[in-house]
Amino acid sequence: MASDQSEGFDGTSIPDPPETEYDVLDAAIDDAGAVGFVAVGDRFDPALRYLTRFEGPERGYAFVRVPGKSVLCAPVGHIRAAEAQFHGAVVAARVGDPAGERAAAVLDDERGAERTGSNPGSVLVPPTIPHDAAVYLERGGYDLQSTTAVAEARVAKSDAEVDAIEAVQRAAAAAVRDAERLLATADIGADGELLREGNPLTVDRLKRATNAELARRGVTDAGNTVVSAGTGTAASIGDTERATPDTPIRAGDPVAVAVSPRGPHGYHGSLARTVVVDSDGGWDRRAYIAAESALDAALAEIEAGAVARAVGREADAELAAFGFDPARASVTAGQPAPGHGVGLSRRERPLLNDDVALEAGTVVAVEPRVKDPEQGTARLSALVVVTADGYERLGDREWSFAPRE
Amino acid sequence: MASDQSEGFDGTSIPDPPETEYDVLDAAIDDAGAVGFVAVGDRFDPALRYLTRFEGPERGYAFVRVPGKSVLCAPVGHIRAAEAQFHGAVVAARVGDPAGERAAAVLDDERGAERTGSNPGSVLVPPTIPHDAAVYLERGGYDLQSTTAVAEARVAKSDAEVDAIEAVQRAAAAAVRDAERLLATADIGADGELLREGNPLTVDRLKRATNAELARRGVTDAGNTVVSAGTGTAASIGDTERATPDTPIRAGDPVAVAVSPRGPHGYHGSLARTVVVDSDGGWDRRAYIAAESALDAALAEIEAGAVARAVGREADAELAAFGFDPARASVTAGQPAPGHGVGLSRRERPLLNDDVALEAGTVVAVEPRVKDPEQGTARLSALVVVTADGYERLGDREWSFAPRE
């Protein structure tokens, strides 16, 4: 925490956004005999972020690709930002101009003399393109063909993308390490509650302090941080319990801290750690070792060509071998998969229960968890990039059951 | 900054998510003679957040309304979170089940015996429903009718929504106030550069410190914070310049700090302040007074029934009266409108260049800005809720040209 780290200024540097390669998209256009590709979405659409590197507004805007050329239909009020961020042609949308209508006009312009009257050809679109945009394109005479080319191109990361993710992961590791330090150096009250400066250290306070450290390192928590202690959880997105932010943390509680911060370039990190202050070596210790073993077992399966679901099952099997109910910790009980891809989305394909082969370059967070409504949660994660014959670790390689000062 | 505020623990409490009223939606279904309403989206869709209060995953999920009953088709791995957060019926989607297909099945179930063979009726959908979901509903025999009922229902806020926004705005004000303090208490180096602990205070450092304060107060910066000093900008979403994070802040620089944090309930605040350390009373002072006057002039126009664009024009006219080129600061030069609605979106309708009447209950950030490529930026904002005969201020009511300690 900043209080004893001078002002907590930190030199963590986050790289600029990677460049996007459009080869896969051009190949898909060519394969389909299409005239181009259109995506429409807003700043929260990771595919559009990938295609444009543009941090757009909440309103919909359009990206158009014709072979060899990219065009961004930027919304009014964002032209200069688009020109600074996007490596392609920027055309302005008129006020109130629907993004799909503008995209159809750009396609018409780009095709120019090639256009043959009533049959302008077919256009590739993602299956989730907004319905109104699809209708505008169809009204423009274009046949729509659905493509998953962009989703597929996003799975394997370029070196620059891996660097972008690793920079965020370093910030994540530092923030979680600082949360450990807060726990390790807390006083312990008469009832076992952790105290800092005489005040109870609650799950919400630990969460806020962790998020403040992320901010100091130049990344945003993005509302994704989850802190749990014993059976109380400062719930956040995707967590399964109601928020109980005032839960005090006690000695002997398994304290799980999970962050998925996002850098200014849009890429995420992903890190989960569990620590226990003054453990008595009971359930929490066994759960921790089971999670650790499950993590190792899953990692040992990772290499290009391995099936994602098989990796996840290896983690579940190891939990079962330690006497924990894998069903309780697995997707069959409504729990998330024990790992997932990480990139411009916090959680993206492949999930570790998908029946797909891992590709070299894919960045995967492996995260087994043990959860018991009577005892609490233990979760540990590793972020790795898949290689031809294994994986490389990104960011933090160490963890500790007892929090480190 | 936390270094001299004990540990910076802060009691700021953020209220639980407001309840959603479905009256407007039921009326729209009734008016259209439709059997129900379907929305499909992911966790970043503010309309879906409004309808469900569910912090869902990145994958698409569906909300179905039939008169008097709401159903959430929750994705696998998020059932318990959905049950905890959503006030309605939760049904599980099967793995790989497209959200649109599941929504059609829910509609079929809900209509039950009413269903009359090949003509199940029409369904209202937002115009931006994902195209694949629209196709699944159509395959299910439903006619789709586009509706803007949800967008309209979101414009005027309930008291609970205003409370949710005001809590975030208080955190925003405290964080920006802390940035002021960092500036006010900095040392000044030989070349006029601001120093803290002997290190230059750059725009990026000030941005990180501001975001850390937001985190400590229980809200996320959400990647929205923009800090500029002189002509250098630590750019973020929607800003018009390239990032120059290492720009040192100097005495005499107009320093603009703009935040749009988001609370755990999903609602945003919005605050912009400009301060100058040791101003020599030149361009920066005039720009500040012009922005202040423009803000006052725009606020004086606000009441239920006033036209949003007229409010924005009042700000522009005042800037012109002070000798600043309103075109440079206005939408005609590709700049954002001088204000916008605030809610589950950081920027939402009405923009202050829309030709619509303001409704009582709408929360609006009024934010005139003066921008000069040679001099820098001055921006000031007020967050207000529109009332029948004026407005009420939310959060911070004060500002200062010289940063306060």
Side-chain angles (χ1 to χ4, degrees), chain A:
Chain A
M1 198 152 204
S3 55
D4 51 14
Q5 292 183 352
S6 86
E7 285 199 327
F9 279 148
D10 179 277
T12 311
S13 163
I14 308 289
D16 286 337
E19 300 230 11
T20 304
E21 302 287 345
Y22 297 102
D23 313 11
V24 174
L25 198 51
D26 285 350
I29 292 169
D30 191 50
D31 286 353
V35 297
F37 165 91
V38 171
V40 172
D42 62 23
R43 61 187 285 223
F44 299 112
D45 183 331
L48 211 51
R49 184 78 183 262
Y50 174 82
L51 291 166
T52 66
R53 305 301 174 186
F54 172 52
E55 301 170 305
E58 285 77 1
R59 282 169 292 153
Y61 47 94
F63 167 85
V64 178
R65 178 77 184 177
V66 293
K69 182 174 181 185
S70 296
V71 182
L72 174 58
C73 306
V76 172
H78 298 265
I79 306 303
R80 277 187 278 177
E83 286 170 347
Q85 294 167 2
F86 178 62
H87 295 188
V90 173
V91 300
R94 287 185 302 272
V95 177
D97 221 5
E101 193 172 23
R102 193 76 193 92
V106 167
L107 278 173
D108 290 350
D109 288 351
E110 290 299 329
R111 297 187 60 253
E114 285 178 59
R115 191 168 178 193
T116 55
S118 63
N119 182 18
S122 71
V123 173
L124 297 185
V125 296
T128 54
I129 190 170
H131 187 54
D132 57 348
V135 169
Y136 279 113
L137 289 167
E138 286 172 345
R139 279 188 202 157
Y142 294 96
D143 293 324
L144 301 190
Q145 286 186 49
S146 180
T147 180
T148 55
V150 178
E152 284 157 23
R154 287 176 54 210
V155 172
K157 270 65 181 174
S158 69
D159 290 348
E161 287 180 292
V162 172
D163 289 347
I165 292 167
E166 186 160 32
V168 180
Q169 188 67 0
R170 280 195 296 268
V176 173
R177 185 75 178 72
D178 199 72
E180 262 191 65
R181 199 179 55 74
L182 271 184
L183 290 163
T185 57
D187 300 318
I188 301 182
D191 296 331
E193 73 278 21
L194 301 193
L195 300 169
R196 291 199 67 89
E197 301 181 338
N199 296 313
L201 182 60
T202 62
V203 288
D204 191 49
R205 285 187 164 182
L206 190 62
K207 179 177 167 177
R208 292 182 184 200
T210 304
N211 289 344
E213 285 301 315
L214 289 171
R216 230 187 303 282
R217 285 168 171 86
V219 300
T220 178
D221 65 86
N224 297 335
T225 300
V226 180
V227 174
S228 66
T231 56
T233 301
S236 186
I237 292 159
D239 196 57
T240 55
E241 309 296 334
R242 244 181 210 290
T244 52
D246 296 334
T247 303
I249 302 173
R250 294 173 186 283
D253 278 347
V255 180
V257 178
V259 299
S260 303
R262 187 177 67 227
H265 46 43
Y267 287 85
H268 291 76
S270 186
L271 186 69
R273 291 284 178 265
T274 302
V275 293
V276 186
V277 174
D278 287 353
S279 170
D280 60 7
W283 181 91
D284 50 320
R285 179 83 200 163
R286 286 188 291 112
Y288 186 89
I289 292 172
E292 198 171 31
S293 300
L295 180 55
D296 285 342
L299 287 173
E301 293 299 305
I302 291 186
E303 64 180 1
V307 174
R309 188 160 60 184
V311 174
R313 281 184 175 163
E314 204 62 36
D316 280 355
E318 194 69 13
L319 296 181
F322 274 82
F324 290 97
D325 181 1
R328 178 170 276 160
S330 80
V331 71
T332 53
Q335 288 292 318
H340 51 81
V342 173
L344 286 167
S345 286
R346 175 186 68 127
R347 293 170 67 89
E348 60 184 41
R349 300 287 168 188
L351 306 185
L352 291 189
N353 54 17
D354 285 342
D355 190 18
V356 298
L358 294 176
E359 292 178 49
T362 305
V363 174
V364 179
V366 184
E367 195 202 331
R369 65 175 86 189
V370 176
K371 190 156 189 159
D372 185 315
E374 312 275 298
Q375 302 283 354
T377 298
R379 48 200 294 199
L380 277 177
S381 77
L383 191 67
V384 303
V385 54
V386 179
T387 63
D389 54 1
Y391 60 90
E392 283 171 24
R393 209 60 173 267
L394 300 179
D396 201 18
R397 290 154 187 277
E398 293 177 3
W399 52 78
S400 167
F401 178 62
R404 294 164 289 183
E405 290 196 13

Side-chain angles (χ1 to χ4, degrees), chain B residues 253-265:
Chain B
D253 278 346
V255 181
V257 178
V259 300
S260 304
R262 187 177 67 227
H265 45 43

Side-chain angles (χ1 to χ4, degrees), chain B residues 39-42 45-54 61-63:
Chain B
V40 172
D42 61 23
D45 183 332
L48 210 52
R49 184 77 181 265
Y50 175 81
L51 290 166
T52 65
R53 305 301 175 185
F54 172 52
Y61 47 94
F63 167 85

